[in-house]
Amino acid sequence: MRVALFSSQKYELPFFEHALTQFPDIQFEFFEQALNDKTVALAQGFDAICVFVNDQVDANVLAELAELGVQSIALRCAGFNNVDIEAAHALGIKVARVPAYSPEAVAEHCIALMLTLSRKTHKAYNRVREDNFDLNGLLGFNLHNKTVGIIGCGKIGQALVAILNGFGAHVLVYDPNIGEGSYTQVSLDMLLEQSDIITLHCPLTEATHHLIDDAAFDKMKQGVMLINTSRGALVDSKACIRALKSRKLGYLGLDVYEQESELFFKNRSDEVIQDDVFMRLASFQNVLITGHQGFFTKEALTEIAHTTVTNLNAIRTGQALENQV
């Protein structure tokens, strides 16, 4: 099986090379280019492709892939909102994903954003490097006894619940698909109204697109903290800006952004960023943005590579495909 891996990054290569040692009949070719309607021709001669979160796998691209003879798509991520699944099924193209690589990696990054914002450690770091040891302006707050609302409580959400319980936080959860646990289940409105910190861990669907909008912010506490390590389009970025300007939103931590495909995973330090919404968000002193690195641990990358290659081998050998979508 020949596989074209799009949006390749140098940091991935050792993990995939190690995973492939167990499957000598699978051969990868790595392309730095993202998959889209302009680059789909690179898939010619391959049996399968491997894509990431910002690759474009819509109906038009899928039709081109089918014409080129591509029979399967391996997602090296959990989310699949960038793939037109109905179109893939209609074309007979199998799609598999990595449903759970390291929930703890994302949950811990979420906590890192919370603590950095609450204790202003990023600002303190810069001050000390300039020999400034003044504490004024660095006043933080405890996570202990705070009410933290989790929207979506799958494997990442459950890992986060365990960490927050260790901090002694009061954990509220909104997720219609889970049972009882070491948290309090509430309605979405109650979670928005009562939480000091709100963190998003749900998939991006038509129902959850811009789940956090002006109406949602209106229901939140003054000075609330919002964290998004899930999917960028869960949050209306322009509504965030308005909430930051009115001080309804006191802290914002983002590891994802709804237009991130034009920005993230590349060094753009020599460019003039054209996204005015992103630049406005980044200009606020109480906003912390990381470039979609919540998944970026050794443990997670090892599991992503292993599961991706295992999925492809199941397709190649006709075995049951547990992670098919």
Side-chain angles (χ1 to χ4, degrees):
M1 174 184 274
R2 297 189 68 226
V3 183
L5 186 146
F6 287 88
S7 299
S8 172
Q9 296 286 344
K10 291 180 181 179
Y11 58 73
E12 296 179 294
L13 300 185
F15 296 95
F16 273 94
E17 288 170 356
H18 178 73
L20 286 167
T21 58
Q22 303 175 49
F23 302 98
D25 293 324
I26 300 177
Q27 297 178 341
F28 270 63
E29 188 164 338
F30 298 89
F31 295 99
E32 293 184 5
Q33 296 91 332
L35 177 65
N36 53 49
D37 52 3
K38 296 183 177 67
T39 62
V40 65
L42 292 171
Q44 185 169 9
F46 290 92
D47 306 298
I49 63 168
C50 182
V51 296
F52 197 47
V53 291
N54 291 324
D55 287 302
Q56 176 188 332
V57 201
D58 57 21
N60 291 333
V61 169
L62 285 163
E64 290 284 341
L65 290 170
E67 285 287 328
L68 294 171
V70 173
Q71 300 174 352
S72 54
I73 297 171
L75 289 151
R76 56 190 194 276
C77 52
F80 50 90
N81 56 278
N82 58 325
V83 182
D84 189 327
I85 299 298
E86 287 187 11
H89 290 170
L91 292 164
I93 297 176
K94 292 185 177 181
V95 182
R97 65 174 181 142
V98 182
Y101 35 90
S102 177
E104 293 78 15
V106 181
E108 289 172 14
H109 190 72
C110 179
I111 292 292
L113 292 175
M114 288 183 192
L115 290 173
T116 301
L117 284 166
S118 66
R119 300 306 299 267
K120 302 179 176 63
T121 48
H122 54 316
K123 295 182 180 181
Y125 171 79
N126 288 327
R127 283 192 188 184
V128 171
R129 285 179 63 84
E130 296 175 353
D131 301 327
N132 178 357
F133 305 99
D134 184 8
L135 295 183
N136 287 291
L138 299 180
L139 186 65
F141 63 84
N142 295 354
L143 288 189
H144 182 73
N145 277 336
K146 291 297 181 294
T147 300
V148 182
I150 301 175
I151 300 177
C153 201
K155 292 183 178 180
I156 294 172
Q158 293 286 348
L160 184 59
V161 167
I163 298 171
L164 289 169
N165 283 336
F167 274 96
H170 305 296
V171 182
L172 305 181
V173 167
Y174 170 70
D175 189 329
N177 302 313
I178 61 168
E180 295 182 359
S182 54
Y183 43 76
T184 302
Q185 293 190 65
V186 295
S187 67
L188 179 59
D189 282 352
M190 187 174 293
L191 184 147
L192 296 174
E193 293 166 1
Q194 295 186 4
S195 299
D196 301 300
I197 301 169
I198 296 170
T199 179
L200 307 178
H201 299 282
C202 53
L204 177 61
T205 65
E206 289 185 9
T208 61
H209 182 265
H210 283 186
L211 179 69
I212 304 300
D213 56 9
D214 288 309
F217 281 120
D218 286 343
K219 297 171 184 175
M220 296 180 194
K221 289 184 177 181
Q222 190 72 18
V224 66
M225 178 187 289
L226 176 66
I227 306 290
N228 187 11
T229 59
S230 187
R231 289 291 178 265
L234 295 173
V235 176
D236 182 340
S237 299
K238 292 182 180 179
C240 266
I241 291 171
R242 289 188 285 271
L244 286 161
K245 290 172 71 175
S246 70
R247 298 186 182 275
K248 169 58 73 87
L249 187 52
Y251 310 82
L252 176 64
L254 300 176
D255 188 50
V256 290
Y257 171 64
E258 58 183 325
Q259 303 299 329
E260 70 176 58
S261 61
E262 304 301 319
L263 291 172
F264 287 3
F265 304 113
K266 298 288 184 181
N267 181 358
R268 304 191 186 279
S269 57
D270 292 331
E271 301 178 22
V272 176
I273 303 300
Q274 299 298 315
D275 189 329
D276 292 342
V277 173
F278 178 84
M279 295 306 291
R280 183 66 181 105
L281 281 171
S283 72
F284 288 96
Q285 293 295 312
N286 51 348
V287 172
L288 179 62
I289 303 174
T290 54
H292 205 139
Q293 70 178 80
F295 75 100
F296 198 54
T297 66
K298 293 178 182 178
E299 294 82 359
L301 286 175
T302 298
E303 187 61 29
I304 287 169
H306 174 75
T307 303
T308 300
V309 175
T310 300
N311 287 341
L312 287 165
N313 189 62
I315 293 170
R316 184 186 68 83
T317 58
Q319 299 175 32
L321 187 56
E322 295 181 4
N323 299 321
Q324 186 169 4
V325 292

